[in-house]
Structures are given as C-alpha cells and as structure tokens.
Amino acid sequence: MGKPKVLVTRRVPPPAVERLKRAGFTVEVIEQDNPPGRAVLLSRLGGVAGLITMLSERVDIELLEAAGPALRVVANFAVGTDNIDLAACRERGVRVTNTPDVLTDATADLAWALILSVARRVVEGDALVRTGTWTGWAPLQLLGLQLTGATLGIVGAGRIGTAVGLRSQGFGMNVLYVDEQRNAVLEERVGARRVQLRELLPVADVLTLHLPLTPASRHVLGAPQLAALKPTAILINTARGPIVDETALVAALRKGQIAGAGFDVYEHEPRLTPGLMELPNVVLLPHLGSAATATRQRMSEMVAENVRAVLEGREPPNPVK
Ligand code: DGY
C-alpha cells in the first residue's frame, strides 16, 4: 500500500510539497491562490489523511465528516487556529498543528509599519504628492503623532505582542501591557508595566492588539472602549478582525473619538465594514503579517514536518492542544 494522501488547500511556497513528496506521500494541491470554494474543498477530501489548511478554510464538523476517518492531521499554515473547531478534531482523533514562532518577527515588523504609517500619516502624504495636489512644505501640513515619549499599549503580550514591545525601544516609548500573565521580558527589557485594559485605554497613544481570537476576545474593542481612548490615540490591529467592533470603529473615527487606525485584519475578512475604506485616517493592508519570503518558506517547511510526523506515527513538532 502506498503512503497516505496529503491535500494542500492552496498554492504555498515549495518546501511543503517538495518535502512531503520526497518522503513518499501522494500530495495534491488545489492549484489556486485564492480560497477554494467550500464545495470544491469538500469534494477533494476523499481519502485524505493529511490536510494543510489556510486561515480562511473553516475546519468544522461538516468538513471533518466529508473527510471521514482517513483524516489524521490538519496542519494549519498559520499560528492562529480560530478557523478550526479544535474540540471536533479532538473528538475524532484528528491532530491539529500550527506554525508558531517563525512569523513572530515578520508580524511585529508589520505592526510597526502600520504604527509608523498611521502616526506619521505616510499614506495620506503619499497621496498628496502622487495626486499632484501638494503645493509645498507647510507648517500645519499633515501633523501626526510623535512616538518618542508616547505610550504604547499592548493588548495581549504573547510572542508577537512581546516582539512589538521590544521594537519600541528604538523609539523611546513608554510601554504598558494587558495580559493575564506577567511578561518578564517586557518588564525587564523595556521597563513595561502590566495594567488592566480600563487603565490603559485613557492613557495609550498607540494601542496595538495581539490577542488570539476566542469567544472572550471578540469585540474586546467595542464602542465603550473606543470612547475611552484619547482623541489623539491610534489603534492598530494585526491580530484578528473580530477583536474590534468595526462598526463602532468607523463611528469613532468619523466622530474624531480617535485619531486613526491601521488594520491588517478585518472583522468580515476579506470584506470591509462599510465606511472604513472612505476614511482618510486609516491604513488598510491585506493581511500581510507573515508575508515575508523567509517566513512563508519556514511556515511551508513546518506544515510538512507536522503532517509527516503525525502520518509516520510520531509526535508533531507544533501540536495545538
Ligand atoms: C497567522 O499565522 O495566524 C496569520 O494571521 C497568517 O499568517
């Protein structure tokens, strides 16, 4: 009998397919860059023992039933696993793995790209020059937030939140963080202080979100929290869209309750909440957090190693409990 079949739900950087084929597995790829339609995905699951999924694929009871008992491992090409019904996988004995650590730096870098872009109004400035409407230097033109001495508020001080905090050293910011646990790295290396969210909101100049999406983190930033921010504050979300109530965010931005926002993820991704796109003081990216070439290569290697381990009867390097 040949080696089990592995299905990859999208084109990914080469290592995943190369490594699995080299190890003797039959590998099928849904050869497209955009998410496959649900019907296409379900129709490809027959006899699949290893499934490599993206964050846009819902791995739920329907999918697990379509795959049947052959399925032994779902290797998510992401660190977040909010697209996966972990309990349903556990019940069926399907292992779930993810790609932690390798995307921490790339995602933290992108959070900083957004912080700087929104604080210093980079995209608005670019548009001014590009549209030929710039008439020259002016003392009151596109004034933004000076980061030196400002307060960076980190909500969720896990791997990525910590990396964002460490990068703030170069900007001379004060760092406050919200997390269930004390973060010794942030406290010792950047003098950060742990606070409650309600204490952080009125003092943060930059509020950056780094929570995983769970029922508890949905709409952590809603209308009351947005109202508690300073009118000069900026909000950055590189975590998961539903952590912010985007309808409330659009209203807050329109009212000038906060100064701006930088988003890489969206509540109804890839759809945008009405009104968001029209606002000049937001910078909107298409979920690029881990989109650095070296990072995506490593993620591709990791999904292969995780699938291979489970299908060869070993413990995977990155299990999700
Ligand atoms: C993740 O890994 O969860 C990112 O959102 C995509 O790389």
Side-chain angles (χ1 to χ4, degrees):
M1 212 175 79
K3 283 245 190 179
K5 183 159 94 178
V6 178
L7 178 68
V8 189
T9 64
R10 216 85 74 77
R11 280 192 199 113
V12 292
V17 176
E18 287 171 2
R19 285 183 180 213
L20 288 166
K21 282 192 173 162
R22 219 180 302 130
F25 293 93
T26 302
V27 185
E28 288 182 8
V29 180
I30 301 182
E31 288 288 350
Q32 55 186 66
D33 295 322
N34 296 321
R38 185 75 175 168
V40 171
L41 177 57
L42 297 185
S43 74
R44 299 286 297 264
L45 295 171
V48 166
L51 182 63
I52 296 179
T53 47
M54 312 299 127
L55 53 89
S56 46
E57 273 87 67
R58 243 180 326 108
V59 178
D60 54 10
I61 292 175
E62 181 191 35
L63 182 144
L64 295 170
E65 277 173 5
L71 185 64
R72 287 160 57 200
V73 56
V74 173
N76 218 28
F77 189 88
V79 66
T81 50
D82 48 282
N83 57 312
I84 300 177
D85 183 339
L86 296 176
C89 288
R90 219 175 296 124
E91 260 168 41
R92 288 163 178 77
V94 175
R95 297 300 303 267
V96 176
T97 67
N98 66 346
T99 60
D101 300 316
V102 294
L103 46 72
T104 298
D105 287 321
T107 308
D109 289 348
L110 195 88
W112 273 96
L114 283 171
I115 293 171
L116 287 162
S117 301
V118 180
R120 298 304 305 273
R121 306 180 66 177
V122 170
V123 175
E124 289 170 89
D126 181 83
L128 187 65
V129 176
R130 229 175 254 280
T131 53
T133 45
W134 184 44
T135 51
W137 187 91
L140 298 177
Q141 194 170 68
L142 290 178
L143 302 185
L145 169 70
Q146 175 151 328
L147 293 176
T148 313
T151 296
L152 175 68
I154 299 171
V155 182
R159 286 180 281 249
I160 298 172
T162 302
V164 169
L166 292 176
R167 281 158 173 73
S168 73
Q169 269 189 312
F171 293 93
M173 297 180 79
N174 307 312
V175 182
L176 300 177
Y177 71 97
V178 176
D179 200 282
E180 278 168 13
Q181 287 171 19
R182 182 175 167 247
N183 185 316
V185 173
L186 282 183
E187 294 189 7
E188 282 154 28
R189 291 187 44 196
V190 298
R193 194 160 58 81
R194 184 155 76 111
V195 293
Q196 297 295 316
L197 183 62
R198 62 172 184 283
E199 293 170 63
L200 176 61
L201 295 172
V203 296
D205 294 300
V206 176
L207 192 74
T208 183
L209 306 176
H210 301 287
L211 295 167
L213 178 62
T214 62
S217 66
R218 187 171 292 270
H219 286 191
V220 155
L221 260 277
Q225 292 75 25
L226 290 163
L229 285 164
K230 293 192 214 181
T232 49
I234 65 174
L235 173 67
I236 306 297
N237 191 5
T238 53
R240 282 293 184 266
I243 294 170
V244 177
D245 175 348
E246 283 181 2
T247 306
L249 172 75
V250 170
L253 285 162
R254 281 192 182 137
K255 279 188 270 181
Q257 246 171 15
I258 66 171
F263 274 43
D264 187 41
V265 291
Y266 302 90
E267 191 172 359
H268 309 289
E269 201 167 312
R271 278 183 298 114
L272 258 65
T273 293
L276 199 52
M277 209 189 302
E278 288 75 33
L279 292 163
N281 49 345
V282 298
V283 176
L284 305 172
L285 295 180
H287 205 144
L288 294 178
S290 65
T293 308
T295 297
R296 290 279 166 88
Q297 287 280 121
R298 281 293 295 126
M299 290 166 74
S300 187
E301 290 165 7
M302 284 169 92
V303 289
E305 294 316 318
N306 279 306
V307 166
R308 190 173 168 192
V310 175
L311 298 186
E312 290 178 349
R314 290 177 283 114
E315 182 62 14
N318 311 105
V320 175
K321 306 286 178 204

